[in-house]
Amino acid sequence: MFDHVKFGVRDYAASKTFYLQALEPLGVTIAGGGDDPSYGIEICGSHNASLCLYQTEDQPAPLHIAFVATTREQVDAFYEAALAAGGKDNGPPGLRPKYHANYYAAFVIGPDGHNIEAV
């Protein structure tokens, strides 16, 4: 449905590092930009949709962003990488039967308070 989503972050350098490290297990790489914080960075995985981050002085509203993983091992690796990158636990890898029987996901809180999920 989406081509890209762009949102502001308070600490561009920290957010850039966090998202690249946390999402590396899901195959996410830099698709464009990156040097100019006011323009930002575009990161993309294999599904052609991209996430764009840029520096802002405004306090971003909390978001919930879910990224597609192809295996449970990728969800596990995302969780470990996100914690190593400074994310805070918001739900370890596991089944979430309240969503559906095979919903396997992990959640972390990123630098700006966003709930980041791999599913």
Side-chain angles (χ1 to χ4, degrees):
M1 178 191 327
F2 296 110
D3 179 71
H4 66 277
V5 174
K6 186 170 186 172
F7 63 92
V9 295
R10 296 282 303 206
D11 184 337
Y12 177 74
S15 291
K16 177 181 170 183
T17 299
F18 171 79
Y19 283 97
L20 288 174
Q21 186 176 338
L23 299 175
E24 187 274 331
L26 303 180
V28 171
T29 59
I30 296 173
D35 296 329
D36 177 3
S38 66
Y39 176 78
I41 187 171
E42 180 179 12
I43 57 177
C44 189
S46 62
H47 297 287
N48 296 325
S50 62
L51 178 68
C52 307
L53 313 171
Y54 68 94
Q55 179 71 44
T56 183
E57 297 306 315
D58 296 328
Q59 179 62 43
L63 301 172
H64 177 160
I65 305 169
F67 293 89
V68 174
T70 55
T71 66
R72 290 181 178 183
E73 292 76 21
Q74 277 189 318
V75 171
D76 298 346
F78 152 80
Y79 180 76
E80 293 302 324
L83 293 179
K88 294 180 177 57
D89 171 53
N90 197 33
L95 288 169
R96 303 298 195 276
K98 67 181 179 181
Y99 301 141
H100 67 69
N102 293 316
Y103 197 98
Y104 190 87
F107 304 85
V108 297
I109 301 298
D112 282 292
H114 303 307
N115 184 21
I116 311 301
E117 173 185 2
V119 59

